[in-house]
Amino acid sequence: MSPDPTKSSTPRPRTPLGRGAPADAGAEAGTVSSGGELAERVKELNCLFEISRISQDPSLSCREVLQRITDCLPPAWACPDLACARITIGDAEYRTANFRRTPWVLTVPVAGPAGPLGTVEVGYLAEKPFLAEEERLLEAVAARVGQIVAQQRATEALRDSERILREVVDASPACIVVKDRAGRFVLANKAVAELYGTSPDAMIGRTDRDFARQRRLKAAEAEAFMAADREVVRSGRAEAISEEPFTRGGGELRWFQTIKTPIELAGRGRCLLGVAMDITERKRAEEALRESERKFRSYVESCPEGVFVTDADGRYLDVNPAACRMTGYDRAELLGMSIAEMVPAAAHPEAMRHFGRVKAEGSAGGEPVPFRRKDGARRWWSVDAVRLDDNRFLGFCRDVTDLKRAEEALRNAALERQTILDTQPQIVSLQNRDLEIVWPNRAACESAGMSRQDLIGRHCYETWEGSDGPCPDCPVAEAIAAGEPREVERQTPDGRRWHVRGAPVRNEAGEVVGAIEVTEDITRRHQLAEQLRQAQKMDAVGQLAGGVAHDFRNQLQVIAGFASMLRRRGLVAEEGRGDLEEVLAAAERSTRLTDQLLAFSRQEALRPERVVLRDAIRDLQRSLAPMFGEDTEVRVDLGRGPLCAEMDSVQLQQALINLCLNARDAMPTGGRLVIGADSADPDDVPVDAFEKAAPGKCVVISVRDSGAGMDERTRSRAFEPFFTTKDVGKGTGLGLAMVYGFVTQSGGAITCESEPGEGTTFRMYFPAAAAGPERGGGAGREVERLTRGAGRILLVEDDEAVRRLLGQELIEAGYEVLQSGRPVEALEVLRGEAGRVDVLVTDVVMPGMSGLDLAGKAAELRPDLKILYMSGYADDELRRRRLDGLRTDILEKPFGPEQLLAKLSEITRRPAAGDHA
């Protein structure tokens, strides 16, 4: 006990009158203490009694006890109305209703067995002295409070321990019981209660036999439990039961693993502690495992695959019947062998590597391994193996010999197909639905500039188009979407044309899983098609030209013939002779135009001869000067050697003149013209320009100007007939067409190179001919001047104007002339005048009967009759009419009187032999 720290700590004598009383107050105090002291003792005793009663009330908690003790303290003090009290235990405080801090206070510590617990305080709300007896009372109260708190804490700790123990026991999945010697339950946890179908408290004092009567377990099992319990209690030895059945009231069988141990309990003597673990699921799993093992063994025995169990050295510990069938050994033989003995020596390292992987990684499989049967046959097995434990390995083996042979055949077939596809010039690739390349052929790899491995997995549009997505008209994507083949033609920026075809690829279910793309370079084919169209167009024009030329030649025959007759007879006045010459010049020009038209259309037969290009070009050079002005430089560039070729020299001159005229028109203000000839390097010969197979050695003639040049559109149409860029009336459009016809008819090819502002170069390629004497020359034959003729002529011509002209010319030359416009009439004349006709002059093509048929019938009447044919048709038309056998005695219209008279003179001087055909 210690005084309030705010007061003086000087000790005061303890007297009945209290602390700090004055010395002269003793008499007064003595006068009042006799009755008051007794009353104070009574209050103290009542306080202690009340505290004892309160602490023994079982209905009160520790907090309630301490609060009531606090409330009963003030009445025991000398001045209860001014007294207040507080008990502090740890962090808890218990106060009287009037408690407040005051400087007049007595404090006594509360101690327990383990040390201080708190304090008990009593104070006055006003300054009053404390009696020594009050201090002793407060110490007695503090001692009692310490006992109460310590006892309460011990009780609560016991209750907590019991509660925790109960919770632990109830939380255990094991069934925990305590039974006395009579088999009555002293303790049972929730697991046991749930098993018996009741609560833990309801089990106390009952036996297993009692629950059997309630059909909560079998009676036989209850008696067995109690007998075993009694034996443990009697013997004092624990018993472990590995499997103990328990059948619940509903008939459900559970299995337990139980340990029964004897224990000593105060007041009960030897009892039994039982702990049982439910092993029903484990037992079911074990049973399922045994059943599974039985089934597995059955499966292994009936498995069509070979099953082996080996040790770590590869020796067989167990095998199934299929393994015996696969190896040819019986079970006893195999169990004495190892993997190494089953594998051919050459494959031993491979098999050991496979087995080593199983040891190291725990499993390996799928790899075919060669094995040798008992009969020596070599077979291939696919082995899947796993490690069972450190010394056992399980393997499943399938005989894949047939599969391996089939795969080998498939690989060979695939290699064969790949070889075939790799030899194709087309770009072939197999693609999936995402247009990713699955397999490309060699042409595809070369086109992409990548290896096959690098090309696989790339998108086709990324590889060849450089785009991020499929082309708008992609036939492969359309084939996949439609399930049908699609194709398209497209042109790349380099001018090449491609034919792209996509065909869907389906799986066994018929689903489209991809497509095959086949891309072919059709540039050459397209060029050939264009050439064919051009040739067909030119052939059509040629057919037209042939028909026109026939009639035109007849008209030119009339015009030129009568004009020559007028000039020859001097029937035109002096002032009109110039006009007559213009008529003759126009007829001559028209004749050349007709020849050009027929040369273009290839209906005019060429007269090929060996031409020395060096001489032909030099002859041309002398005649070019008048065609060009002084502002144009004309140069000839000739290669070494004679440079010979088989061609029509007259047509060559005409072709070169046309090209030079074309160059002159392209250089209106002058420029430079270079005519060249040389041997052609085989690598420079444009093979695709030849309509037929290109020749071996070639010579090339070039005409190069520095003129305005041509754009692509003009250049592509340069050789078309009647196409011209000149003003109306200033060009026929046949010049270059004639050149084209001459060159191709001569077995050659012509090319044109030109760009706007860069000039133009034409190159004519001809098969080279060996050097030798020339057959003929560049100039035409001179017509022999003949004397006048004599004899009777039968003239047959269906064109009246031509017939009249030729008749007059023959009469003027001294011949007697019989004329007929129809072959039938001519035959009648011959029948009447057969002995008097010397020469039959007939047109070849006439209505009703050809000149050839007429000549044949005339020969029947008179075999020695001489015949001269005339024709305005070209050679192609004669061949079409099967009249191409006329090669010697024929005149091509238009011809002059000199040519006619010369031919007649030649025929009449010839001995008669009937050579009319």
Side-chain angles (χ1 to χ4, degrees), residues 101 206 671 837:
R101 293 184 180 279
R206 303 172 70 181
V837 176

Side-chain angles (χ1 to χ4, degrees), residues 285-336:
E286 290 173 350
E287 181 62 29
L289 180 61
R290 282 192 294 272
E291 178 64 17
S292 175
E293 289 177 347
R294 184 188 65 78
K295 289 181 179 179
F296 176 75
R297 188 67 195 180
S298 174
Y299 294 156
V300 169
E301 292 295 320
S302 60
C303 181
E305 297 181 357
V307 181
F308 299 83
V309 178
T310 70
D311 60 15
D313 296 327
R315 294 200 164 275
Y316 296 116
L317 302 177
D318 196 5
V319 294
N320 72 338
C324 297
R325 291 193 298 271
M326 290 173 63
T327 61
Y329 293 96
D330 59 31
R331 177 182 173 84
E333 290 174 318
L334 277 176
L335 295 184

Side-chain angles (χ1 to χ4, degrees), residues 625 628-634 670-671:
F628 293 89
E630 296 180 355
D631 55 356
T632 301
E633 176 191 356
V634 179

Side-chain angles (χ1 to χ4, degrees), residues 758-819:
E758 299 295 330
T760 301
T761 301
F762 288 96
R763 289 186 175 87
M764 297 181 290
Y765 295 88
F766 298 98
E774 303 176 26
R775 296 199 304 266
R781 296 186 182 89
E782 295 184 1
V783 178
E784 180 182 356
R785 187 173 297 275
L786 301 176
T787 60
R788 293 171 60 83
R792 177 173 285 188
I793 303 295
L794 175 57
L795 175 63
V796 185
E797 168 62 58
D798 61 318
D799 189 301
E800 183 179 357
V802 176
R803 186 172 69 249
R804 186 162 61 86
L805 168 66
L806 295 178
Q808 291 185 20
E809 290 178 342
L810 290 172
I811 292 172
E812 183 178 345
Y815 288 99
E816 183 181 351
V817 180
L818 300 176
Q819 300 184 29

Side-chain angles (χ1 to χ4, degrees), residues 410-465:
L410 187 61
R411 278 194 299 270
N412 292 336
L415 180 60
E416 181 179 347
R417 288 194 296 270
Q418 176 177 324
T419 302
I420 293 173
L421 289 175
D422 278 343
T423 59
Q424 299 303 307
Q426 295 90 350
I427 297 173
V428 182
S429 64
L430 175 63
Q431 302 173 19
N432 61 20
R433 293 186 63 88
D434 296 327
L435 304 184
E436 292 177 340
I437 299 171
V438 178
W439 184 88
N441 73 340
R442 183 176 301 164
C445 298
E446 293 174 353
S447 173
M450 303 173 68
S451 67
R452 180 174 282 128
Q453 197 62 34
D454 291 338
L455 201 52
I456 292 174
R458 290 176 60 90
H459 293 97
C460 62
Y461 51 80
E462 172 191 2
T463 302
W464 283 289
E465 300 294 335

Side-chain angles (χ1 to χ4, degrees), residues 717-792:
R717 302 185 62 191
F719 298 114
E720 289 187 12
F722 308 114
F723 173 76
T724 179
T725 58
K726 299 175 183 177
D727 295 337
V728 177
K730 293 187 177 181
T732 64
L734 288 174
L736 291 178
M738 186 278 293
V739 175
Y740 179 87
F742 159 67
V743 173
T744 53
Q745 194 174 359
S746 301
I750 184 169
T751 63
C752 175
E753 299 175 8
S754 183
E755 294 292 339
E758 299 295 330
T760 301
T761 301
F762 288 96
R763 289 186 175 87
M764 297 181 290
Y765 295 88
F766 298 98
E774 303 176 26
R775 296 199 304 266
R781 296 186 182 89
E782 295 184 1
V783 178
E784 180 182 356
R785 187 173 297 275
L786 301 176
T787 60
R788 293 171 60 83
R792 177 173 285 188

Side-chain angles (χ1 to χ4, degrees), residues 361-406:
E361 301 173 9
S363 65
E367 299 179 11
V369 178
F371 278 81
R372 186 178 54 245
R373 285 174 48 86
K374 183 178 181 179
D375 57 11
R378 181 184 173 120
R379 307 292 292 180
W380 287 87
W381 292 355
S382 175
V383 181
D384 294 280
V386 295
R387 183 178 58 210
L388 299 178
D389 52 43
D390 290 343
N391 196 47
R392 290 189 308 157
F393 301 86
L394 175 65
F396 292 86
C397 303
R398 296 181 300 279
D399 191 322
V400 294
T401 306
D402 295 338
L403 177 61
K404 190 167 181 65
R405 291 171 179 170

